[in-house]
């Protein structure tokens, strides 16, 4: 897809009432061996089945049944030749790569709008706009804000982790490592950037990462409260979405940025791979309980820490729901999973849908999904 077709970027959750200096080359060399940690390993192996309700047949005056008439009508109704996708900024790389392949395979024109996940969700819930797919970096936005009024189902399809990226000439670049990043980032000459927590999960997750470092886990913590306060003093919010941070890092406006490992590992800059107790990557009960101690209040809601899990849905207001379902199906198959891996994300295989709502899931999606009550420690 050309950039002119992408009209806008990432943004999560909460009910409105959440030595490691590594080069891109080094990361990619070990990423395959690392495999899918966290949520990707929690989905089980079997596919779930689902079917749509079928109306009772009734004979018409011409002898045909209602079921036969419905079948003929459905067969004669063509699929739309265009579709619209609202999605998180951190999904722009994989969605952009998938778009030409999807368009060629299905003969459909795809228009994407990338923005923070919170803002993307609000396009539907507050602005009254329609989209055929909503893809967010925190599935809880769909669970808590789209369902049940603006949709009936969702899927968790990929995971991520938080990281720190910097330039080779950033202040302290020669000193920083996984074991001391907080010491470097609290120096007086350092400026830290992250996206806006009110519109982007990457923003509130950046704050959570800093919070978690001062909270004890398994008998120890990375730093004290004073260090956390200094990290916040050195932090700024220059943009609403994390995809704009790379340019500001490159220009020197920022020295270090907190954002997703999928962005860091595929960019041509060094980055720090963070400790699991702060990077929000581990989907087991011990880590999930620890992550939940982080909380960020914003103008768009209060967000609580949890393992990172991305969600997708076909909203109830979709104008081309069949195309939306095909897009979801694509990322549940090997071509889609390969795209996710190429862009630094870890696919959930098979994708997971909530068992309580599996009857609402399109048949084609259920054929490549597993229906569950929980995904690791996450309640669906």
């Amino acid at each position: 897809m050309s950039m002119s077709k992408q009209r806008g970027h990432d943004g999560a959750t909460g009910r409105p009432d959440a030595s490691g200096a590594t080069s891109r080359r080094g990361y990619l060399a070990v990423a395959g061996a690392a495999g899918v940690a966290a949520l990707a390993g929690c989905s089980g192996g079997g596919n779930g089945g689902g079917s749509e309700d079928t109306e009772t047949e009734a004979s018409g005056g011409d002898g045909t049944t209602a079921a036969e008439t419905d079948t003929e009508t459905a067969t004669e109704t063509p699929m739309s030749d265009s579709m619209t996708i609202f999605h998180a900024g951190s999904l722009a790389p994989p969605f952009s790569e998938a778009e030409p392949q999807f368009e060629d395979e299905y003969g459909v024109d795809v228009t994407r709008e990338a923005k923070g996940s919170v803002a993307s969700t609000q396009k539907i819930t507050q602005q009254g706009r329609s989209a055929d797919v909503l893809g967010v970096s925190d599935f809880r936005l769909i669970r808590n804000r789209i369902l049940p009024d603006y949709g009936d189902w969702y899927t968790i399809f990929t995971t991520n982790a938080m990281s720190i990226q910097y330039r080779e000439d950033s202040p302290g670049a020669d000193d920083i490592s996984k074991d001391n990043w907080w010491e470097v980032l609290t120096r007086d000459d350092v400026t830290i950037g992250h996206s806006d927590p009110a519109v982007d999960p990457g923003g509130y997750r950046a704050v959570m990462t800093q919070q978690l470092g001062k909270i004890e886990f398994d008998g120890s913590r990375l730093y004290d409260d004073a260090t956390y306060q200094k990290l916040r003093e050195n932090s700024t919010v220059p943009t609403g979405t994390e995809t704009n941070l790379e340019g500001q890092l490159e220009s020197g406006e920022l020295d270090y940025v907190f954002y997703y490992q999928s962005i860091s590992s595929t960019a041509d800059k060094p980055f720090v791979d963070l400790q699991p107790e702060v990077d929000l990557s581990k989907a087991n009960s011990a880590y999930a309980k620890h992550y939940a101690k982080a909380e960020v209040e914003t103008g768009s809601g209060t967000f609580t820490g949890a393992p990172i899990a991305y969600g997708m849905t076909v909203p109830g207001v979709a104008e081309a729901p069949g195309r939306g379902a095909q897009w979801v199906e694509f990322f549940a198959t090997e071509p889609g999973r390969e795209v996710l891996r190429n862009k630094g994300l870890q696919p959930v295989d098979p994708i997971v849908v909530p068992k309580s709502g599996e009857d609402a899931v399109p048949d084609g999606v259920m054929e490549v999904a597993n229906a569950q009550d929980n995904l690791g420690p996450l309640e669906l």
Side-chain angles (χ1 to χ4, degrees), residues 19-283:
S19 135
T22 311
S23 68
R24 174 176 180 268
R25 178 179 300 175
Y27 175 82
L28 295 177
V30 300
V36 178
L39 294 179
C42 302
S43 61
N47 290 341
S51 60
E52 298 178 354
D53 293 337
T54 303
E55 295 183 3
T56 302
E57 293 187 2
S59 296
D62 60 356
T64 62
T65 66
E68 291 169 346
T69 303
D70 289 346
T71 300
E72 291 169 1
T73 301
T75 302
E76 293 168 1
T77 302
M79 292 281 272
S80 176
D81 60 3
S82 64
M83 64 181 295
T84 298
I85 301 172
F86 297 162
H87 64 83
S90 58
L91 286 173
F95 280 14
S96 178
E97 181 171 312
E99 183 178 333
Q101 180 179 345
F102 185 85
E103 289 182 326
D104 289 345
E105 181 174 350
Y106 292 101
V108 60
D109 182 62
V110 177
T111 297
R112 295 181 295 108
E113 295 187 14
K115 203 169 182 64
S117 291
V118 176
S120 294
T121 302
Q122 290 171 341
K123 289 179 182 181
I124 295 172
T125 62
Q126 297 183 12
Q127 300 175 22
R129 299 184 59 196
S130 66
D132 305 305
V133 173
L134 174 65
V136 297
S137 60
D138 191 332
F139 83 96
R140 296 174 297 176
L141 280 173
I142 301 176
R143 185 192 68 186
N144 296 348
R145 300 187 178 189
I146 294 295
L147 274 58
D149 294 338
Y150 302 95
D152 301 315
W153 64 275
Y154 63 88
T155 182
I156 295 177
F157 70 105
T158 196
T159 67
N160 214 330
M162 295 302 293
S163 67
I164 300 170
Q165 190 146 55
Y166 58 98
R167 301 183 315 278
E168 292 183 356
D169 64 346
S170 291
D174 292 337
D175 303 325
I176 195 167
S177 73
K178 184 174 184 176
D179 298 323
N180 70 354
W181 56 265
W182 54 93
E183 297 174 0
V184 173
L185 267 58
T186 52
R187 294 177 181 176
D188 290 339
D189 60 343
V190 167
T191 301
I192 306 166
H194 61 73
S195 56
D196 186 352
V199 302
D200 184 4
Y204 61 68
R205 284 170 172 155
V207 179
M208 290 172 181
T209 292
Q210 295 178 8
Q211 289 179 353
L212 289 169
K214 69 182 178 70
I215 299 174
E216 185 174 301
F217 177 75
D218 199 23
S220 64
R221 61 181 182 173
L222 297 182
Y223 44 79
D224 58 19
D225 291 352
T227 300
Y228 167 71
Q229 292 300 330
K230 183 61 176 177
L231 285 171
R232 295 310 303 148
E233 291 173 10
N234 283 2
S235 297
T236 184
V237 181
T239 180
T241 54
E242 82 268 330
T243 50
N244 297 326
L245 292 171
E246 187 174 0
Q248 294 164 332
L249 178 64
E250 182 70 34
S251 70
E253 181 179 350
L254 302 172
D255 301 314
Y256 294 86
V257 295
F258 279 82
Y259 53 26
Y260 294 118
Q261 191 180 80
S262 63
I263 301 174
S264 297
S265 65
T266 55
D268 192 21
K269 292 182 183 65
F271 70 99
V272 176
D273 206 4
L274 300 176
Q275 290 84 351
E277 57 263 41
V278 301
D279 74 357
L280 301 172
S281 70
K282 295 297 184 183

